[in-house]
Amino acid sequence: MAEAIQDVYGCPDRKSTAKAPDRLCSWMMHSAVAKIKRVAGTLRKSVRGS
């Protein structure tokens, strides 16, 4: 999960950076910690504009 966060800083352009939240949410949803999963759900809703 930490690597998914750090990947944002290694993105060469804005378009590839836009995909970073989806990758981060994917990692967070596989966490064994329920609070992390809840944060991932909130982040997904925010990114998708729901």
Side-chain angles (χ1 to χ4, degrees):
M1 187 167 33
E3 289 177 12
I5 295 169
Q6 292 174 349
D7 282 348
V8 173
Y9 297 104
C11 293
D13 57 21
R14 188 179 184 121
K15 187 175 181 178
S16 59
T17 303
K19 296 176 186 177
D22 287 332
R23 288 193 302 266
L24 175 60
C25 284
S26 177
W27 278 104
M28 291 171 74
M29 291 303 283
H30 287 90
S31 173
V33 181
K35 289 182 180 181
I36 296 289
K37 288 181 179 183
R38 192 166 58 230
V39 170
T42 302
L43 180 59
R44 266 197 182 146
K45 286 179 185 177
S46 176
V47 168
R48 293 180 180 167
S50 302

